[in-house]
């Protein structure tokens, strides 16, 4: 094509763009007439423009050389017979080809050997993709050069780009999640091998007819540094100095600022793709490249629609944090977040099964279909989620469930304590089955009165089965009804009804647990069998007092804890042989002796707790709650080996006891075993994802592990569940202060002071916060108020010591720290890990204190 003819084609191309898409064919027919060459060039330009509508993705007019080149169809390059052209772009062309040696269809990407930049990109793509082995990454078979062309030969993926598979209103949540898990799996494989994609977008993801995803185009990929800030393993790139690589709509803010892309930049792009899949549009928009760049750098993403589960909204929001440090560090962690129970999703196996059931291939023989099925099953066999689906569909065991709150159908709200108590008892007993994961009480109770379906609840919590039922009491008779339901299908597995006198309530509960366990086909160890056969005898009135105590314990305020103590003490008086009442009493004493909830000195409360916990274990040596509580006591008494032994024993006896995971994580933090601590709180979060206590402790553990942005996110999630949860305000304030956001930090702690009606512990926290932010006069005023209060009520010396230290009065700070040591304040256990105390690590007084407590330096 001559330059003059090419100029005319470009003019017609721009004229065509100004017309609606459905009028362009008639326009081409009219303007080109019999000029087939010009019409073919225009059609290729329009097709390329439709596929590359983003700034920095090669514009259609930049494909002049390739668009004007005659197609290579029918040529033989190497031992590949070139067939139809699949696509064309500024850096080369892609054809379907036939491999004459291996008798198979392949895709072949070619660039002119005369273009060293395009060839370098092609070799880079081949090098990176060929080093990856993952079912969701397009396989590279060969690289070569022949007849003036450099080429790579790849797996021929039949399907269509994800960009074309997304309808205007977006994909259903389940399908979007299914695709997202596959894409993040591919990215995780790349990140694990030190490769960042740098050009992830919906146009670079193919979706096969059966719903399998393939990530393409590693041409912009670059090897990651050994760390985010370290030197790169490989620094060369096909991009020129100062050139930004990638597609603007998917480009992370740090890349736009000229910084090096890393795994977190791919996470940002994945957030864009997720938003695009769910809504049909990208989260950032602009009329010009400058406007779009400005929105990406400083604007907020478009809101997600209400049908997107809240947990998924949180994940996408984290992906699209402007600060890379606030995002998931790798695609593997993003993938883990997408599988979290609170996202409200089906299992991957269920989605793949649904995709297979919907697939209706045309013109395929039975042998071919059978072979495809076998290959798919072979590939999926290693997936735990697929295995789980196969177990359930084949009548296998259930591995996870939630017990929904038993409805009180007595018509008497005063009996709520009984229905709640029975619910908690079922959760506790089923949780002792080692092969079963049971959702914890707080999350289960959040579904009280829900109108959600069983499949919805199952998807949200990621469980195989749901137990639901009711309790009715009339005079001295009680009736329990329940049913075990397979979550994914709403199929009833077992139904049961028990009725008897209130005196037989523990026997009724035992029978219900055994029936549920039988319906689950759970693997029971001899210990499990013995536990399920055990029926504790207890005085009925004492048991009612115990259930009332549990009801008030769950409210987790100082007032409710004191009421719980009254009921537990009454239960112990009524039946001194009932071990759970002793253990619950110990838990209450422990919490009343903490500055977070109570206002009593630990030197008074902890010995009471120890006595009650030991008494519980003397009665029942396999009571998980008693071992956990004793571990808590040993931890804060600095009996480190005994504490770990008791906490681990509790988790052996009841792996689903979320508080035991939290308390063990707290212990591990003190020992500076931070990776283990994070793993433990994540287990607790999986068991109890809607618990403010759990979420706040997850945040605190991440905070102490130096992962502040993630910690802030967890604190915010806790406050979204309950804006009045004091501990989350305290912890969030501390995190903001360490981030230098002192005004926000002060507001959080001031909110805690208001919520607690100026409790001494909150005032001490605020005095510390003001000291950190330079508000010394206000800090000293609060400190004086605390000293006056300490003359007539208990004030933790630990809080006062920190205020003095932060004000620069080391002498008084260590004086009060010694008082905290003498009473074994809970905070003393965290001296070695508390980031506020780093300036004093070299002080001989501090080092001596660490030695006496037995903490690592």
């Amino acid at each position: 094509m001559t330059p003059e003819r090419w100029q005319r084609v470009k003019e017609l191309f721009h004229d065509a763009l100004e017309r609606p898409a459905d009028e362009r064919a008639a326009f081409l027919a009219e303007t080109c007439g019999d000029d087939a060459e010009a019409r073919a060039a225009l059609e290729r330009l329009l097709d390329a423009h439709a596929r590359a509508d983003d700034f920095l993705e090669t514009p259609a007019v930049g494909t002049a050389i390739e668009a004007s080149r005659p197609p290579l169809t029918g040529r033989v390059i190497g031992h590949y017979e070139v067939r139809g052209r699949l696509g064309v772009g500024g850096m080369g062309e892609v054809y379907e080809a036939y491999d004459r040696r291996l008798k198979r269809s392949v895709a072949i990407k070619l660039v002119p050997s005369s273009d060293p930049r395009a060839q370098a990109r092609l070799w880079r793509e081949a090098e990176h993709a060929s080093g990856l082995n993952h079912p969701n990454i397009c396989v590279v078979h060969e690289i070569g050069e022949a007849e003036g062309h450099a080429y790579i030969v790849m797996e021929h993926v039949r399907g269509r780009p994800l960009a074309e598979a997304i309808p205007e209103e977006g994909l259903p949540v389940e399908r979007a999640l299914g695709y997202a898990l596959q894409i993040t799996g591919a990215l995780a494989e790349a990140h694990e091998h030190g490769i960042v994609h740098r050009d992830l977008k919906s146009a670079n993801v193919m979706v096969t007819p059966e719903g399998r995803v393939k990530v393409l185009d590693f041409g912009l990929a670059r090897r990651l540094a050994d760390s985010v800030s370290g030197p790169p393993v490989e620094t060369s790139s096909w991009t020129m100095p100062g050139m930004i690589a990638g597609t603007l709509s998917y480009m992370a803010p740090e890349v736009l600022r000229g910084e090096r892309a890393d795994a977190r930049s791919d996470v940002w792009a994945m957030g864009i793709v997720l938003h695009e899949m769910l809504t049909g549009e990208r989260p950032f928009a602009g009329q010009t490249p400058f406007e779009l760049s400005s929105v990406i750098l400083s604007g907020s993403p478009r809101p997600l629609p209400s049908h997107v589960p809240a947990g998924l909204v949180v994940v996408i929001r984290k992906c699209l944090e402007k600060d890379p440090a606030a995002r998931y560090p790798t695609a593997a962690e993003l993938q883990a977040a997408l599988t979290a129970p609170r996202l409200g999703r089906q299992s991957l196996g269920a989605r793949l099964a649904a995709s297979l059931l919907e697939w209706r291939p045309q013109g395929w023989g039975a042998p071919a279909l059978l072979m495809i099925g076998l290959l798919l099953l072979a590939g999926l066999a290693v997936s735990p989620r697929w295995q789980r689906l196969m177990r359930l569909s084949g009548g296998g065991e259930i591995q996870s469930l939630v017990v929904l709150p038993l409805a009180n159908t007595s018509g008497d709200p005063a009996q709520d304590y009984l229905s709640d108590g029975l619910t908690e008892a079922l959760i506790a007993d089923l949780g002792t089955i080692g092969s079963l994961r049971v959702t914890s009480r707080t999350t289960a109770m959040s579904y009280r009165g829900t109108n959600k379906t069983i499949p919805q609840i199952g998807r949200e919590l990621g469980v195989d089965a749901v137990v639901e039922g009711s309790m009715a009491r009339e005079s001295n008779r009680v009736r329990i009804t329940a049913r075990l339901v397979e979550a994914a299908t709403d199929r009833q597995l077992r139904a049961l009804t028990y009725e008897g006198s209130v005196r037989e309530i523990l026997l009724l509960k035992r029978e219900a647990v055994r029936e549920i366990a039988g319906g689950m086909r759970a693997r029971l160890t001899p210990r499990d069998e013995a536990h399920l056969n055990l029926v504790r005898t207890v005085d009925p009135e004492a048991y009612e007092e115990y259930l009332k105590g549990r009801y008030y314990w769950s409210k987790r305020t100082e007032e409710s804890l004191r009421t719980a103590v009254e009921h537990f003490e009454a239960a112990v008086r009524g039946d001194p042989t009932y071990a759970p009442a002793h253990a619950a009493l110990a838990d209450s004493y422990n919490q009343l002796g903490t500055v977070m909830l109570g206002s009593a000195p630990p030197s008074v409360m902890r010995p009471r707790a120890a006595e009650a916990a030991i008494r519980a274990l003397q009665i029942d040596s396999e009571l998980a709650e008693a071992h956990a509580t004793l571990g808590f006591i040993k931890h804060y008494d600095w009996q480190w080996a005994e504490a770990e032994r008791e906490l681990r024993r509790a988790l052996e006896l009841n792996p689903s006891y979320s508080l035991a995971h939290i308390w063990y994580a707290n212990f591990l933090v003190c020992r500076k075993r931070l990776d283990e601590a994070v793993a433990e709180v994540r287990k607790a979060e999986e068991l109890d994802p809607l618990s403010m206590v759990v979420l706040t402790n997850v945040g605190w553990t991440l905070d102490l592990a130096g992962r502040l942005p993630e910690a802030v996110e967890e604190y915010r999630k806790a406050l979204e569940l309950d804006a009045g949860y004091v501990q989350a305000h305290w912890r969030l304030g501390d995190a903001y202060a360490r981030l230098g956001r002192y005004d926000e930090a002060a507001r959080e702690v001031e909110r805690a002071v208001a919520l607690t009606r100026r409790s001494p512990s909150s005032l001490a926290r605020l005095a510390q916060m003001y000291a950190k932010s330079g508000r010394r006069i206000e800090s000293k005023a609060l400190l004086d108020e605390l000293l006056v209060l300490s003359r007539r009520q208990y004030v933790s010396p630990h809080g006062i010591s920190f205020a003095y230290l932060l004000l620069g009065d080391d002498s008084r700070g260590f004086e009060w720290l010694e008082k905290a040591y003498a009473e074994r304040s809970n905070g003393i256990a965290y001296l070695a890990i508390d980031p506020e105390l780093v300036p004093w690590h070299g002080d001989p007084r501090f080092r001596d204190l660490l030695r006496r407590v037995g903490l690592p330096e």
Side-chain angles (χ1 to χ4, degrees):
M1 183 175 288
T2 65
E4 294 76 14
R5 282 173 55 75
W6 172 239
Q7 183 60 37
R8 176 56 180 160
V9 165
K10 284 203 299 182
E11 292 171 359
L12 292 174
F13 166 70
H14 289 294
D15 290 343
L17 287 180
E18 294 176 359
R19 287 167 167 73
D22 58 355
E23 296 179 8
R24 290 174 185 169
F27 172 76
L28 295 184
E30 179 182 349
T31 55
C32 295
D34 297 331
D35 191 340
E37 181 186 33
R39 178 163 184 167
L42 277 168
E43 288 175 342
R44 289 194 291 274
L45 284 171
L46 289 169
D47 178 67
H49 183 274
R51 293 174 179 270
D53 59 354
D54 290 311
F55 177 67
L56 288 180
E57 185 175 41
T58 307
V61 292
T63 65
I65 298 175
E66 282 77 14
S68 61
R69 189 199 317 279
L72 299 175
T73 304
R75 299 271 296 277
V76 176
I77 297 177
H79 54 88
Y80 299 100
E81 179 185 322
V82 180
R83 294 183 173 177
R85 183 152 58 183
L86 298 174
V88 60
M91 303 303 292
E93 301 169 284
V94 182
Y95 288 86
E96 180 182 359
Y98 181 70
D99 184 342
R100 291 178 168 180
R101 289 181 183 173
L102 297 179
K103 313 298 183 186
R104 63 183 177 184
S105 176
V106 295
I108 183 168
K109 181 182 287 191
L110 304 105
V111 299
S113 297
S114 59
D115 186 343
R117 184 166 168 264
Q119 185 175 351
R121 174 177 174 175
L122 192 74
W123 292 157
R124 181 175 298 281
E125 179 175 357
E127 175 191 350
H128 288 138
S130 63
L132 303 175
N133 181 18
H134 192 275
N136 299 118
I137 293 177
C138 184
V139 177
V140 170
H141 298 311
E142 184 185 354
I143 61 174
E145 190 171 357
E147 299 187 20
H149 292 278
Y151 64 83
I152 60 173
V153 181
M154 305 172 290
E155 166 189 13
H156 182 202
V157 181
R158 298 185 183 276
R160 56 177 176 163
L162 176 60
E164 296 179 10
I166 301 173
E168 185 176 346
E169 69 280 5
L171 294 166
V173 172
E174 293 303 327
R175 188 175 303 167
L177 272 173
Y179 292 159
L181 286 169
Q182 295 181 67
I183 298 169
T184 52
L187 288 177
E189 168 77 5
H191 292 172
E192 184 179 349
H193 286 78
I195 294 171
V196 58
H197 191 287
R198 295 206 300 165
D199 197 23
L200 178 70
K201 55 189 175 185
S202 56
N204 278 343
V205 176
M206 290 291 289
V207 181
T208 68
E210 63 269 23
R212 173 68 64 86
V213 159
K214 291 282 187 177
V215 177
L216 313 176
D217 198 356
F218 278 81
L220 289 180
R222 169 180 277 158
R223 291 200 176 276
L224 288 162
D226 290 329
S227 66
V228 172
S229 59
V233 176
E234 174 188 316
T235 57
S236 61
S237 171
W238 67 268
T239 53
M240 299 298 290
M243 181 177 180
I244 298 175
T247 304
L248 182 59
S249 292
Y250 299 83
M251 199 170 292
E254 67 273 13
V255 178
L256 283 175
R257 292 191 294 264
E259 299 169 16
R260 182 182 296 277
D262 61 23
R264 299 168 299 181
S265 309
D266 281 350
V267 168
W268 168 279
M270 189 63 222
I272 303 289
V273 172
L274 270 166
H275 192 289
E276 186 179 0
M277 287 195 292
L278 291 165
T279 66
E281 60 182 11
R282 294 165 197 150
F284 303 101
Q287 296 298 314
T288 65
F290 177 80
E291 183 180 334
L292 178 55
S293 299
S294 298
V295 175
I296 291 171
L297 288 168
S298 58
S300 298
R302 290 166 168 159
L304 288 155
S306 58
H307 72 269
V308 178
L312 184 52
V313 172
V314 170
V315 170
I316 295 172
R317 188 170 60 195
K318 185 176 176 70
C319 291
L320 298 179
E321 288 281 357
K322 307 294 186 189
D323 180 1
R327 296 177 214 143
Y328 299 100
T330 65
E333 294 205 24
L334 170 56
Q335 187 180 43
L338 288 171
T339 62
R342 63 177 174 272
L343 289 184
R345 58 167 194 83
Q346 276 184 315
S347 68
L348 175 60
R351 283 196 302 279
L352 290 175
S355 299
L356 289 173
L357 290 173
E358 292 173 0
W359 182 35
R360 297 289 185 273
Q362 302 297 319
W364 289 52
L369 190 57
L370 176 61
M371 180 59 70
I372 288 175
L374 290 173
L375 290 172
L376 284 172
L377 288 174
L380 291 167
V382 296
S383 165
R385 288 184 172 80
W386 180 261
Q387 292 169 355
R388 188 179 85 176
L389 180 70
M390 292 300 98
R391 281 198 309 274
L392 295 180
S393 63
E397 67 175 297
I398 287 168
Q399 293 187 338
S400 57
L401 90 161
V402 60
V403 180
L404 298 182
L406 296 179
N408 173 18
T409 57
S410 303
D412 179 7
Q415 298 300 316
D416 283 348
Y417 78 90
L418 185 57
S419 57
D420 285 2
L422 286 172
T423 303
E424 186 171 352
L426 290 173
I427 292 171
D429 284 0
L430 290 166
T432 64
I433 299 174
S435 61
L436 185 65
R437 174 173 63 83
V438 182
T439 300
S440 292
R441 179 193 186 281
T442 307
T443 294
M445 289 297 182
S446 70
Y447 286 87
R448 186 194 305 277
T450 183
N451 58 3
K452 294 181 178 179
T453 65
I454 295 295
Q456 281 179 297
I457 294 170
R459 289 194 297 270
E460 289 182 4
L461 296 179
V463 295
D464 299 329
V466 175
V467 176
E468 64 170 6
S470 63
M471 183 284 307
R473 179 177 180 177
E474 294 182 10
S475 186
N476 288 322
R477 302 287 293 177
V478 64
R479 178 184 176 88
I480 301 172
T481 62
R483 68 187 191 112
L484 175 68
V485 184
E486 190 175 82
T489 63
D490 207 8
R491 177 168 62 95
Q492 181 172 292
L493 302 175
R494 195 66 60 95
L496 53 98
T497 301
Y498 295 105
E499 185 172 357
S501 71
V502 174
R503 302 187 68 87
E504 299 171 318
I505 194 167
L506 288 179
L507 178 62
L508 300 180
K509 189 251 311 180
R510 193 280 308 264
E511 293 303 313
V513 170
R514 287 184 56 80
E515 187 74 6
I516 292 168
M520 293 186 302
R521 303 171 293 276
R523 295 193 309 272
L524 300 180
T525 65
R527 188 193 67 80
D528 294 333
E529 289 281 2
H531 180 84
L532 294 181
N533 285 321
L534 175 67
V535 181
R536 294 187 177 98
T537 58
V538 60
D539 177 86
E541 286 75 24
Y543 188 65
E544 284 202 50
E545 290 291 342
Y546 169 76
L547 292 182
K548 290 176 182 177
R550 298 303 304 177
Y551 181 81
Y552 285 103
W553 152 264
S554 66
K555 296 180 182 295
R556 301 278 290 186
T557 66
E558 182 176 5
E559 182 180 354
S560 71
L561 283 171
R562 293 192 180 279
T563 303
V565 165
E566 293 175 5
H567 287 294
F568 292 142
E569 289 177 339
V572 168
R573 286 194 302 270
D575 190 339
T577 66
Y578 189 52
H582 290 280
L585 188 56
D587 276 345
S588 300
Y589 288 147
N590 269 338
Q591 296 306 310
L592 286 170
T594 68
V595 295
M596 289 289 190
L597 288 175
S599 60
S603 57
V604 172
M605 286 299 173
R606 202 174 296 140
R608 294 183 187 177
E611 180 181 359
I614 291 169
R615 179 59 181 147
L617 290 172
Q618 288 172 340
I619 299 167
D620 183 354
S621 64
E622 294 199 349
L623 187 61
E625 292 85 348
H627 281 287
T629 300
L630 190 57
F632 181 101
I633 295 163
K634 299 288 187 183
H635 172 198
Y636 293 108
D637 273 344
W638 318 326
Q639 299 176 45
W640 304 108
E642 295 90 334
E644 183 164 24
R645 182 173 62 247
E646 293 296 335
L647 291 165
R648 289 176 68 89
R649 179 60 175 154
L651 291 171
E652 288 171 6
L653 292 168
N654 187 347
S656 293
Y657 189 24
S658 63
L659 273 181
H661 287 288
I662 290 295
W663 293 341
Y664 187 38
N666 292 344
F667 166 89
L668 292 168
V669 161
C670 294
R671 309 310 296 168
K672 291 189 175 181
R673 293 156 59 182
L674 296 174
D675 289 342
E676 293 174 72
V678 171
E680 285 299 320
V681 290
R682 289 301 191 193
K683 290 175 186 175
E685 188 176 31
E686 183 180 17
L687 291 164
D688 212 354
L690 301 181
S691 165
M692 294 96 66
V693 175
V694 170
L695 290 173
T696 303
N697 273 276
V698 173
W700 188 42
T701 305
L702 292 168
D703 191 334
L704 295 176
R707 295 159 64 173
L708 275 173
E710 295 173 77
V712 167
E713 181 188 346
E714 295 295 331
Y715 298 144
R716 286 174 176 167
K717 285 192 288 189
L719 291 171
E720 285 173 4
L721 293 172
D722 184 356
Y725 189 52
V726 174
Q727 292 186 40
H729 284 292
W730 282 6
R731 300 299 191 198
L732 183 55
D734 287 344
Y736 279 154
R738 281 193 281 281
L739 289 168
R741 296 158 62 176
Y742 291 110
D743 290 341
E744 294 171 89
R747 282 197 293 271
E748 290 298 329
V749 183
E750 287 164 354
R751 176 66 175 149
V753 169
L755 288 168
T756 60
R757 294 177 294 217
R758 297 182 69 81
S759 71
S761 53
S762 290
L763 290 175
R765 209 73 167 202
L766 189 55
Q768 297 164 22
M769 190 61 63
Y770 285 162
K772 294 177 196 176
S773 59
R775 298 163 66 175
R776 296 177 59 82
I777 294 175
E778 294 159 278
S779 177
K780 288 179 178 179
L782 287 172
L783 194 49
D784 290 340
E785 182 179 348
L786 285 168
L787 293 174
V788 171
L789 283 174
S790 68
R791 295 175 193 142
R792 62 174 183 268
Q793 70 182 87
Y794 174 74
V795 177
S796 170
H798 184 262
I800 293 177
S801 71
F802 267 41
Y804 273 127
L805 289 172
L806 291 168
L807 283 168
D809 191 341
D810 287 7
S811 177
R812 289 188 180 179
F814 277 96
E815 176 187 342
W816 282 90
L817 204 53
E818 285 294 334
K819 293 179 181 180
Y821 168 83
E823 74 161 15
R824 281 178 156 76
S825 292
N826 285 20
I828 294 294
Y830 299 92
L831 289 180
I833 196 67
D834 194 323
E836 303 294 346
L837 292 173
V838 170
W840 291 273
H841 278 193
D843 192 302
R845 293 167 294 182
F846 185 80
R847 296 169 69 86
D848 178 62
L849 197 55
L850 290 184
R851 179 189 57 77
R852 284 181 279 151
V853 177
L855 289 169
E857 293 187 4

